[in-house]
Amino acid sequence: VLDDLALLPTSDGHGFHPLLFFKNISAVLATGGIVAGCVNNRWSLKRWLTRLRHLSNPTQLSLPTGHFTVRSLRKTLSAAGYSEVRLFTLIPNSSTPFKLIDTDPAISRAAFLQELHITGHLALTPGYLVRRAMVEFGMNRHLEESTFFWARKSC
């Protein structure tokens, strides 16, 4: 997970620079080479709930902050010179990936509706109702826990 690398100390002491990181990877990739990885979503619903719990109980351990959102990851990869950037939601998360769902709005909504249909036996739980609302508003791809990416080095 790229976020784990971002937590490591840097030689300049200024912290992790995602754009510089991706440009350095591009420098060693052959033309047409692919960079792929996984990040924790900075704005995931799980992170929001953990932050709220942490406010009520400050001694509780919190999740490390993710560095990217779906939008910022796409923007960073494009700015680093990559083309054909593809982002996918990992279900349920990067630790135990089971499914990849494209973050393209039309594909994502249809795939998450299908996923909800499969888990229909959970229809009366609050988590199901929240997910259903997220899907209906098209927010699911922005609020899931982990994002997988790949992009191609341009000519």
Side-chain angles (χ1 to χ4, degrees):
V1 175
L2 185 58
D3 296 304
D4 294 339
L5 290 175
L7 295 175
L8 297 175
T10 59
S11 59
D12 65 3
H14 293 294
F16 181 66
H17 302 284
L19 182 60
L20 180 60
F21 177 80
F22 285 120
K23 284 184 176 181
N24 286 338
I25 290 175
S26 180
V28 297
L29 277 178
T31 300
I34 294 176
V35 61
C38 182
V39 296
N40 293 317
N41 184 357
R42 180 187 315 162
W43 299 118
S44 74
L45 190 58
K46 182 176 181 178
R47 289 183 186 285
W48 279 108
L49 293 173
T50 301
R51 286 181 190 120
L52 289 174
R53 281 189 215 111
H54 186 69
L55 289 174
S56 65
N57 183 6
T59 60
Q60 183 182 12
L61 294 176
S62 63
L63 295 172
T65 304
H67 287 275
F68 293 100
T69 62
V70 169
R71 183 176 295 165
S72 70
L73 181 58
R74 183 180 306 281
K75 184 178 176 180
T76 302
L77 288 166
S78 295
Y82 293 94
S83 62
E84 300 178 43
V85 175
R86 298 292 305 269
L87 304 176
F88 302 88
T89 300
L90 279 170
I91 301 294
N93 57 40
S94 61
S95 299
T96 55
F98 182 72
K99 291 184 182 181
L100 289 176
I101 299 178
D102 198 316
T103 59
D104 177 86
I107 296 170
S108 180
R109 186 168 187 274
F112 272 99
L113 283 172
Q114 179 65 30
E115 185 69 19
L116 284 172
H117 179 70
I118 291 168
T119 59
H121 64 282
L122 302 173
L124 298 177
T125 63
Y128 176 88
L129 297 174
V130 169
R131 282 195 180 279
R132 180 67 191 225
M134 287 175 21
V135 169
E136 292 301 330
F137 289 114
M139 295 301 299
N140 50 296
R141 67 186 184 279
H142 298 289
L143 298 175
E144 293 298 329
E145 190 175 342
S146 303
T147 304
F148 174 78
F149 65 89
W150 72 266
R152 188 176 304 277
K153 180 180 176 180
S154 300
C155 300

